[in-house]
Amino acid sequence: MHTYRLDEPGEIDGIVRHEAGEPEPGPAQIVVRVHAASLNRRDLLILQRRYPLPSAPGVTPLSDGAGEVVAVGSAVTRFRPGDRVVGAYWPRWHDGRLRPELIDQLGCTLDGMLTEYAVLDEQWAVSVPEHLSWEEAATLPCAALTAWTSLVGGDPLEPGRTVLTLGTGPVALFGLQFAKAMGCRVVATTSSAARAARLRELGADHVIDYTATPEWWRAVREATGGLGADLVLETNGRPTIDQSVRSAALYGQVVLLSVPPVPAGAPGANLEISGDAYKNSLATIRRVFVGSRADHEAMNQAISANLLRPVIDRVFGFAEAREAFAYYRDGAPFGKVVIRVA
């Protein structure tokens, strides 16, 4: 079989294709023939040595991948050959709260899914919705689950409430789709007229051009009759957190997902919220780091019930893995970048 490994972190050329023998499962393991894998921002951070968790030497990249179970160990009870699965983002985190002893990730501390065959403990996998293609299923473990837990992990988000999404990254797009499926109103921001049109096609009720309206929080307030958004899906961190707080309803939720690392002492290294933004607010700021296996299974039920389909920007071939990384880094995709493996 062929597998990619991160032989030399730092540059995309450090991702190298290797040959290996086809694996055999241990007693509690499954062998998955991977059909597709997808990229996330964390994969670039791992490549660039900027991710909070240090990666294992020569690790196989990518947390997100979908495939068919082709072999199972003698003690496996959760899956059988022919089942369609993805690997869990936090393979040891099955339910409840994330704890220090569960801090392992596919494609980082454990080998990931950019390979023709992946070996997973049976507890590390999740079945995928039947209506999804391999490419669509491969987008779920990180971005989709992050959006899902952002919407359902705090105060109940009832139909008719307003959700604010920022930009057109995969988490924002999944958040828009989930919020609409839950009966919510969605206000979205973007800087592109073409992307604004696509956001409306996905169901956005109001789209704000944040370049034409630098103080876009005022437009959010206007769009919500002065009430603000009940939940803000804050995917940017430092550049937008102040306006996100200003956009939130009195008892709203600001779900803070990403605070990309900046060298200590560098400009903009701190996450800052002005006193003026927070003085009249009772909003809650909540952190989310993807979700557990149980969260993933609940999300899949919602995806199946609503026949939701992920937004895919472009699909690359297995031999084009480096090109996929470069495109993801430089191409500003609308939706997920996927690598078709088999």
Side-chain angles (χ1 to χ4, degrees), residues 12 36 67 119 156 180 227 237 276-277 323 332:
I12 290 175
V119 179
K180 294 304 296 183
L227 297 176
D276 187 56
E323 290 85 346

Side-chain angles (χ1 to χ4, degrees), residues 22-23 29-37 65-72 79-87 113 115-120 125-128 130 132-135 137-138 341-342:
E22 289 190 20
Q29 293 178 328
I30 60 174
V31 177
V32 179
R33 185 188 183 204
V34 181
H35 285 264
E68 177 185 359
V69 176
V70 294
V72 301
F79 299 102
R80 59 186 180 183
D83 286 347
R84 304 170 76 241
V85 301
V86 295
M113 303 300 286
T115 180
E116 291 182 323
Y117 291 90
V119 179
L120 304 174
V126 181
S127 297
V128 298
E130 287 299 320
L132 297 183
S133 68
W134 291 118
E135 291 78 12
V341 178

Side-chain angles (χ1 to χ4, degrees), residues 86-98:
V86 295
Y89 184 87
W90 296 100
R92 304 188 198 279
W93 181 18
H94 301 157
D95 203 350
R97 291 187 170 185
L98 184 61

